[in-house]
Amino acid sequence: MFSKETYIQRRATLRNKIGSGLILIPGNHESPMNYTDNTYHFRQDSTFLYYFGLDLPGMFGVIDVDNNLDLIYANDVDIEDIIWMGPQKSVAEQAFAVGVDVSAPLEKLGQTVERAIKAGKRVHFTPPYRAENQIQLSNILGIKVSNIKQYASLVLIQAIVSMRSIKDAAEIAEIELACDTGYEMHITAMKMAHPGTMEQQIAGTLEGIALSKGTGTSFPIILTQNGETLHNHNHSFPLEAGRLMIVDAGAESNGHYASDFTRTIPVGGKFSQKQKDIYNIVLAANNKAFSLTKPGVTYQSVHLQAARVIASGLKELGLMKGDVDESVANGAHALFFPHGLGHMMGLDVHDMEDYGQIHVGYDNEIRPIDQFGTAYLRLGRRLQPGFVITNEPGIYFIPALIEKWEKEGINKDFINFDKAKSYLGFGGIRLEDNVLVTETGARLLGKRIPINPEEVEGVVAGH
Ligand code: GLY
Ligand code: MN
């Protein structure tokens, strides 16, 4: 938790941006795994964390803009709770710690909202992504659960995005803690990348590191030799000599800030020439993207420059053909690089994605490009100092996609399909760093995880 003043200041800034009405910020609830009292690991809602800081289930924050008042609605524990959970601070004490002077039991929340609606006030909330919160808002507001998201407040979304996009020094320090843990996770994965080791054994070890240093991983670990599946959570195979293992894994700090790194490791510690050729293209795309990252530049343009590095490298290897710029304009690179270059990162690994990516990654000036591959780019708009973003180009050989494009003749002027088919079974390569946009350029967050092929080989070999 940050200082009380941080939360008071954030709520005051939000009040000023919104101008009038009532802002509802629901916290998350415990979520049952298989019966009520056996719950998933509790994760507080990030918006609630940002404005109210309290990491407890069953709380509801209200910012009454017109009356200049912040409130927390939650129930105090009773004697039965104390028997099972131990003594707990009262809601009033918890609220006071984050500069909120008024608290009340949850049952009073409905009346507060009803009064505001009767007085003709606008009630603002962001789109709820959890069923419990959708139902809670539906009950309070009298809107059908299925309609609740469409009543979310665009002005509130835009105001929060404008604040959360710019990370302050304390937030960056939290992200760097998560990066330090991420570094340790990835070095460990490299050291364990030997034939015969189960993917699961490595994934579990990384999970343990994340839990031992913070609140766990920032998203389910992606660790696989079948890296052509972009988000592959199947860790059930023994490592085979000569294959490539993608590890896309990050940690969450105790303050709930994320890291998100990807490295690709040769099982057994030696890249083949064929692997190294592809690896070096992805590395060049990563380095090029980093060199272009600075305030005022659109991340859409950086993504397209990375795509050009990939298309040009693949042309040199005979996998692509024709004019590089034309091939990228036609989206031909997306056969091999079918995702975006990166996303915002902060309290969420894909920061604020619950608000709708269009509001986070785009604006009136920079609109999404509706073309396969680039359409997945989650951040396109102009970069500003304080943005924390990922830089994660990749090259993959996806059998079903190659087959489809060849059959349908998609981008046939730019793709050498026979050559592409000779890479089936190759898997994929992705290299991801976390980047802070500074006043003058950018800096990598955390110590850079070994990335040059020789460095990675050295770590696997135990040097
Ligand atoms: N690290 C997973 C992702 O960015 O989607
Ligand atoms: Mn990522």
Side-chain angles (χ1 to χ4, degrees):
M1 207 160 79
F2 299 124
S3 71
K4 180 190 263 206
E5 287 68 36
T6 300
Y7 300 106
I8 292 173
Q9 186 57 52
R10 286 175 181 172
R11 293 191 299 265
T13 304
L14 186 61
R15 260 200 299 277
N16 282 338
K17 282 179 182 278
I18 297 300
S20 67
L22 208 61
I23 303 167
L24 307 184
I25 304 190
N28 279 339
H29 301 267
E30 292 282 18
S31 193
M33 223 164 16
N34 48 347
Y35 56 89
T36 308
D37 284 342
N38 201 20
T39 57
Y40 287 105
H41 155 78
F42 174 70
R43 175 51 157 85
Q44 184 58 289
D45 173 74
S46 296
T47 310
F48 188 87
L49 280 173
Y50 189 79
Y51 290 104
F52 288 93
L54 296 172
D55 194 9
L56 294 162
M59 297 193 136
F60 200 108
V62 173
I63 300 176
D64 183 339
V65 182
D66 306 306
N67 294 309
N68 212 14
L69 196 64
D70 303 326
L71 307 98
I72 286 181
Y73 291 86
N75 295 333
D76 277 313
V77 293
D78 59 20
I79 185 64
E80 294 202 32
D81 294 323
I82 291 170
I83 291 167
W84 292 97
M85 301 156 63
Q88 308 287 316
K89 281 189 185 156
S90 69
V91 171
E93 283 173 296
Q94 304 274 9
F96 185 72
V98 291
V100 175
D101 297 329
V102 186
S103 59
L106 261 178
E107 63 182 29
K108 301 276 186 208
L109 172 64
Q111 295 163 18
T112 305
V113 175
E114 206 180 311
R115 262 200 310 275
I117 293 172
K118 282 207 176 118
K121 293 185 183 185
R122 173 89 200 267
V123 178
H124 301 270
F125 56 90
T126 58
Y129 53 90
R130 284 206 185 184
E132 295 91 339
N133 290 356
Q134 289 172 7
I135 293 167
Q136 190 180 30
L137 282 172
S138 160
N139 289 339
I140 295 167
L141 296 165
I143 298 169
K144 265 175 70 176
V145 172
S146 53
N147 290 341
I148 203 87
K149 279 192 177 186
Q150 73 199 51
Y151 284 90
S153 162
L154 184 58
V155 275
L156 179 62
I157 291 171
Q158 287 171 336
I160 299 178
V161 168
S162 73
M163 294 178 67
R164 283 181 58 188
S165 296
I166 312 292
K167 273 68 181 178
D168 66 20
E171 292 182 285
I172 292 162
E174 276 287 328
I175 293 171
E176 286 186 303
L177 288 175
C179 289
D180 291 347
T181 308
Y183 183 92
E184 193 178 327
M185 290 161 72
H186 280 270
I187 290 285
T188 302
M190 287 177 190
K191 288 184 178 162
M192 291 179 77
H194 296 291
T197 305
M198 290 296 291
E199 293 167 338
Q200 180 181 14
Q201 202 178 329
I202 307 176
T205 303
L206 305 194
E207 191 104 29
I209 294 171
L211 279 166
S212 71
K213 299 282 168 99
T215 57
T217 59
S218 51
F219 60 95
I221 288 175
I222 297 160
L223 187 152
T224 179
Q225 294 159 108
N226 300 299
E228 73 281 5
T229 301
L230 303 186
H231 280 182
N232 196 336
H233 300 295
N234 181 338
H235 312 139
S236 65
F237 298 102
L239 296 187
E240 292 169 22
R243 295 191 67 189
L244 292 172
M245 177 175 78
I246 277 195
V247 182
D248 184 345
E252 194 177 275
S253 69
N254 281 323
H256 297 290
Y257 282 80
S259 63
D260 177 10
F261 297 108
T262 309
R263 287 296 183 266
T264 306
I265 308 161
V267 175
K270 210 80 200 127
F271 286 103
S272 69
Q273 192 56 48
K274 187 175 181 180
Q275 290 169 338
K276 208 185 274 192
D277 288 344
I278 300 291
Y279 188 100
N280 280 327
I281 298 170
V282 181
L283 181 55
N286 173 302
N287 286 334
K288 176 75 177 180
F290 180 66
S291 74
L292 295 171
T293 299
K294 60 177 180 193
V297 165
T298 74
Y299 214 46
Q300 195 171 67
S301 71
V302 180
H303 168 92
L304 292 171
Q305 285 293 352
R308 282 182 199 111
V309 172
I310 286 173
S312 156
L314 292 176
K315 184 178 166 182
E316 264 180 48
L317 292 180
L319 281 149
M320 291 185 71
K321 56 190 179 183
D323 181 72
V324 167
D325 288 350
E326 219 181 302
S327 70
V328 170
N330 282 277
H333 62 281
L335 177 62
F336 307 104
F337 175 34
H339 61 76
L341 181 64
H343 49 86
M344 290 258 196
M345 195 183 77
L347 279 164
D348 309 299
V349 63
H350 288 184
D351 212 21
M352 302 171 275
E353 196 160 293
D354 54 319
Y355 304 156
Q357 203 54 47
I358 187 84
H359 307 305
V360 180
Y362 294 89
D363 54 19
N364 288 337
E365 182 202 359
I366 306 298
R367 306 305 294 165
I369 293 175
D370 183 22
Q371 180 188 65
F372 174 74
T374 304
Y376 289 117
L377 178 62
R378 292 184 164 97
L379 172 64
R381 67 189 167 110
R382 280 188 199 283
L383 303 175
Q384 297 173 38
F387 279 20
V388 171
I389 59 179
T390 66
N391 168 14
E392 49 180 309
I395 294 179
Y396 315 84
F397 296 90
I398 305 170
L401 193 59
I402 294 170
E403 189 187 325
K404 178 182 160 68
W405 278 34
E406 185 179 30
K407 203 156 105 199
E408 296 176 18
I410 298 172
N411 278 315
K412 60 180 173 10
D413 295 339
F414 303 109
I415 307 288
N416 183 343
F417 284 104
D418 286 337
K419 183 93 180 180
K421 283 188 288 186
S422 74
Y423 280 70
L424 294 181
F426 181 98
I429 292 175
R430 177 161 68 252
L431 297 171
E432 176 176 24
D433 291 324
N434 300 165
V435 178
L436 170 68
V437 181
T438 63
E439 293 293 333
T440 51
R443 89 171 159 84
L444 291 179
L445 288 171
K447 195 164 121 189
R448 198 177 200 194
I449 299 166
I451 196 164
N452 293 315
E454 300 72 25
E455 286 177 288
V456 176
E457 289 178 344
V459 181
V460 180
H463 301 155

